[in-house]
Amino acid sequence: MLAELLQLPVQDQIFYAVLVFSWTVYLWEAYLAYRQRRIYRSTMHVPTELGKIMDSETFEKSRLYQLDKSNFGFWSGLYSETEGTLILLLGGIPFLWKISGNLTARFGLGPEYEISQSLVFLMLATLFSAFTGLPWSLYNTFVIEEKHGFNQQTLGFFLKDALKKFAVTQCILLPVTSLLLYIIKIGGDYFFIYAWLFTLIVSLVLVTIYADYIAPLFDKFTPLPDGELKTDIESMSKSISFPLTKIYVVEGSKRSSHSNAYFYGFFKNKRIVLFDTLLEDYSPLNQSGEGEAATEQKEESEVSGDESKPKPKNKKQGCSNPEVLAVLGHELGHWKLGHTIKNIIISQMNSFLCFFLFAALIGRKELFLAFGFNDSQPTLIGLMIIFQFIFSPYNELLSFCLTVLSRRFEFQADRFARGLGRSAELYSALIKLNKDNLGFPVADWLFSMWHYSHPPLLERLRALTGPKQD
């Protein structure tokens, strides 16, 4: 079999190698997921070492939630892999490129207007992806997340949000892509340097403006009110020389009851964002629902036109103020220990390497022949073929290495929070967040090694209570 494949033309070898590797990765991921589902099905009772941190009711809820997510992941993954294979086998990419050319030709733009055709191709491809992914997204949100009490969206809100996301994505993606293609076209022998610098600038600009200008298009951001929590956060930031300028609370509860926190900004302009579902004193999910509060919520929803679902009542969620400070101590640890800068450097080194290799490969006609482009070599298609298909083995290896590095960073950030004297609060916060998000605390070792960017809960708790390490 292998000998016969080696006798094929180079372009056919490339095509079949891409398919074989893609299915190899899928089968490996499916095997890992099977191992983890076996854990979900067999671990019916709280293990002894978890008895003090997790009750049997929460354990069972998390087990069923993660089992449903895993089963959904199997079918959605199988569909995605099958769809991708059929697109390659049936010549979907060159077909869509031809359709794009026909559409641009109607406006008097011939093949020499490659960038215009590329933008039409990109829009059609993202539109196709959005439509084929919509049923899966709907099922995940309104069946799985709804069943387990996380979904806070109505169908109208969901669809309006999806349209808004698609529009914003196009507004960013199309201009950036057109400029990148133009740079590659006119950049000469060293275009890969200019292309890399351009993507670096774009990524830094997007990181800078995202929370101020893009995220508010989807969620409401309000300054954290004056009070004990704000004062304590500012005090902790000052103690480690974190240049904090603003603290926001984002209304994540209108979408989901999952919680999060992050910081952003460059140099002396850092901002902290807290999800309202993280804050025990602010989360709408903790409203008592007594007459006046319920009436106010209903009136406010009617006035603002908010289409999110009414918040469930009598559900205690989020962390106390000391626990929120411990969580932020962990997040600020990532900054103080240079994890953010290290990740940016790794990302940009990888980006430069990829553009350098792209420059070396873009002239190889057999790469285009392998995917059905017999008469043309469009730059956008070259980017797709090389970055998505040819680099896929390298991308898998890099992804695993970054996962390992991420777990190491998480332990270090936990130790930093511990060094701030917040070990006990972080310990209880991790348990609460695991409970609120229905995280299952038992993991197959191979599955967690490959997938978990954060260490399993038990490992983090042991590290927080163990002897201090330098």
Side-chain angles (χ1 to χ4, degrees):
M1 180 68 176
L2 181 60
E4 292 177 358
L5 287 174
L6 293 175
Q7 297 300 317
L8 293 172
V10 175
Q11 58 265 28
D12 291 340
Q13 292 182 31
I14 293 172
F15 180 80
Y16 289 118
V18 166
L19 278 183
V20 168
F21 184 79
S22 179
W23 276 96
T24 300
V25 171
Y26 168 75
L27 292 173
W28 168 246
E29 298 273 5
Y31 168 68
L32 294 178
Y34 162 75
R35 290 175 61 103
Q36 184 62 21
R37 278 197 300 277
R38 195 168 55 184
I39 295 289
Y40 296 146
R41 292 192 178 103
S42 62
T43 313
M44 304 291 291
H45 304 287
V46 183
T48 305
E49 58 184 330
L50 294 172
K52 294 182 179 180
I53 64 173
M54 198 171 206
D55 59 87
S56 57
E57 181 183 357
T58 302
F59 184 84
E60 179 66 7
K61 285 181 179 179
S62 67
R63 185 184 75 84
L64 294 176
Y65 175 56
Q66 297 298 334
L67 184 58
D68 281 350
K69 284 178 63 180
S70 183
N71 287 329
F72 172 79
F74 170 78
W75 291 110
S76 63
L78 179 60
Y79 169 80
S80 179
E81 187 64 24
T82 303
E83 178 189 271
T85 300
L86 289 175
I87 288 173
L88 292 180
L89 289 174
L90 299 177
I93 298 175
F95 174 76
L96 191 61
W97 180 257
K98 183 178 179 181
I99 294 294
S100 304
N102 292 337
L103 288 174
T104 54
R106 291 189 177 187
F107 294 92
L109 304 177
E112 66 274 15
Y113 291 91
E114 184 188 309
I115 293 179
S116 298
Q117 185 173 350
S118 297
L119 297 184
V120 174
F121 173 89
L122 197 58
M123 184 180 292
L124 292 177
T126 52
L127 194 61
F128 173 81
S129 178
F131 271 112
T132 57
L134 183 60
W136 298 99
S137 184
L138 285 168
Y139 186 89
N140 180 60
T141 302
F142 292 101
V143 177
I144 295 178
E145 296 293 300
E146 181 82 25
K147 174 182 176 181
H148 295 279
F150 288 113
N151 177 46
Q152 303 298 323
Q153 304 176 71
T154 63
L155 180 60
F157 179 90
F158 176 91
L159 294 175
K160 202 187 297 184
D161 200 52
L163 288 172
K164 195 187 297 183
K165 284 179 181 176
F166 182 83
V168 171
T169 299
Q170 298 306 309
C171 289
I172 296 172
L173 182 63
L174 297 182
V176 168
T177 302
S178 63
L179 286 173
L180 177 61
L181 294 176
Y182 183 71
I183 289 170
I184 293 174
K185 289 286 186 184
I186 68 168
D189 293 340
Y190 297 100
F191 77 82
F192 63 92
I193 296 177
Y194 309 132
W196 167 68
L197 287 173
F198 173 71
T199 56
L200 169 62
I201 292 169
V202 168
S203 63
L204 293 179
V205 169
L206 287 177
V207 167
T208 303
I209 69 172
Y210 174 77
D212 287 327
Y213 300 103
I214 300 175
L217 296 174
F218 303 95
D219 296 301
K220 183 180 179 182
F221 285 70
T222 56
L224 179 67
D226 292 334
E228 181 182 355
L229 179 60
K230 183 177 181 180
T231 301
D232 288 344
I233 292 174
E234 292 172 339
S235 176
M236 182 174 66
S237 299
K238 188 176 181 180
S239 71
I240 62 171
S241 303
F242 181 75
L244 177 64
T245 56
K246 294 180 181 178
I247 309 170
Y248 292 111
V249 177
V250 59
E251 191 182 9
S253 57
K254 72 176 183 178
R255 299 174 182 278
S256 170
S257 56
H258 291 297
S259 52
N260 197 7
Y262 62 91
F263 68 87
Y264 70 99
F266 289 103
F267 307 114
K268 301 296 182 181
N269 188 28
K270 306 286 188 184
R271 291 100 183 274
I272 288 175
V273 176
L274 306 169
F275 278 52
D276 58 355
T277 48
L278 176 69
L279 309 176
E280 189 176 78
D281 294 339
Y282 293 88
S283 176
L285 301 177
N286 292 334
Q287 292 178 0
S288 64
E290 295 179 358
E292 184 178 344
T295 302
E296 286 178 3
Q297 180 182 334
K298 181 177 179 182
E299 290 175 353
E300 182 180 342
S301 178
E302 290 173 351
V303 171
S304 64
D306 186 3
E307 296 183 26
S308 57
K309 295 168 58 179
K311 306 296 185 289
K313 304 171 182 63
N314 300 320
K315 178 183 178 182
K316 198 67 173 175
Q317 159 132 10
C319 297
S320 65
N321 286 357
E323 290 166 342
V324 172
L325 288 169
V327 171
L328 286 179
H330 167 95
E331 294 300 326
L332 297 182
H334 286 304
W335 170 80
K336 191 69 173 179
L337 298 171
H339 296 165
T340 307
I341 295 297
K342 290 173 184 176
N343 281 328
I344 291 174
I345 291 172
I346 291 171
S347 172
Q348 293 309 314
M349 288 177 62
N350 172 64
S351 178
F352 182 83
L353 174 63
C354 288
F355 274 116
F356 174 76
L357 294 175
F358 170 76
L361 295 172
I362 187 62
R364 304 295 295 268
K365 187 176 182 180
E366 54 268 28
L367 291 177
F368 293 88
L369 291 173
F371 294 91
F373 287 83
N374 302 318
D375 303 318
S376 62
Q377 299 182 37
T379 303
L380 178 65
I381 301 301
L383 285 166
M384 179 187 298
I385 291 172
I386 295 171
F387 277 78
Q388 183 175 343
F389 299 128
I390 305 303
F391 287 170
S392 54
Y394 165 73
N395 291 335
E396 288 295 325
L397 177 62
L398 178 65
S399 176
F400 173 69
C401 292
L402 291 178
T403 298
V404 173
L405 181 64
S406 175
R407 284 199 297 269
R408 179 178 176 84
F409 283 170
E410 292 302 318
F411 278 127
Q412 291 175 354
D414 282 351
R415 285 200 296 272
F416 183 84
R418 182 180 180 179
L420 294 176
R422 302 190 181 277
S423 177
E425 292 85 355
L426 184 58
Y427 187 99
S428 59
L430 290 174
I431 294 172
K432 279 189 178 181
L433 291 174
N434 186 79
K435 178 179 179 180
D436 288 347
N437 292 287
L438 291 184
F440 194 68
V442 183
D444 173 76
W445 71 271
L446 194 57
F447 179 87
S448 63
M449 180 187 73
W450 188 260
H451 282 293
Y452 283 10
S453 60
H454 288 57
L457 176 65
L458 274 177
E459 292 183 22
R460 295 182 73 178
L461 296 182
R462 290 191 195 111
L464 282 171
T465 55
K468 288 189 176 182
Q469 302 176 16
D470 296 328

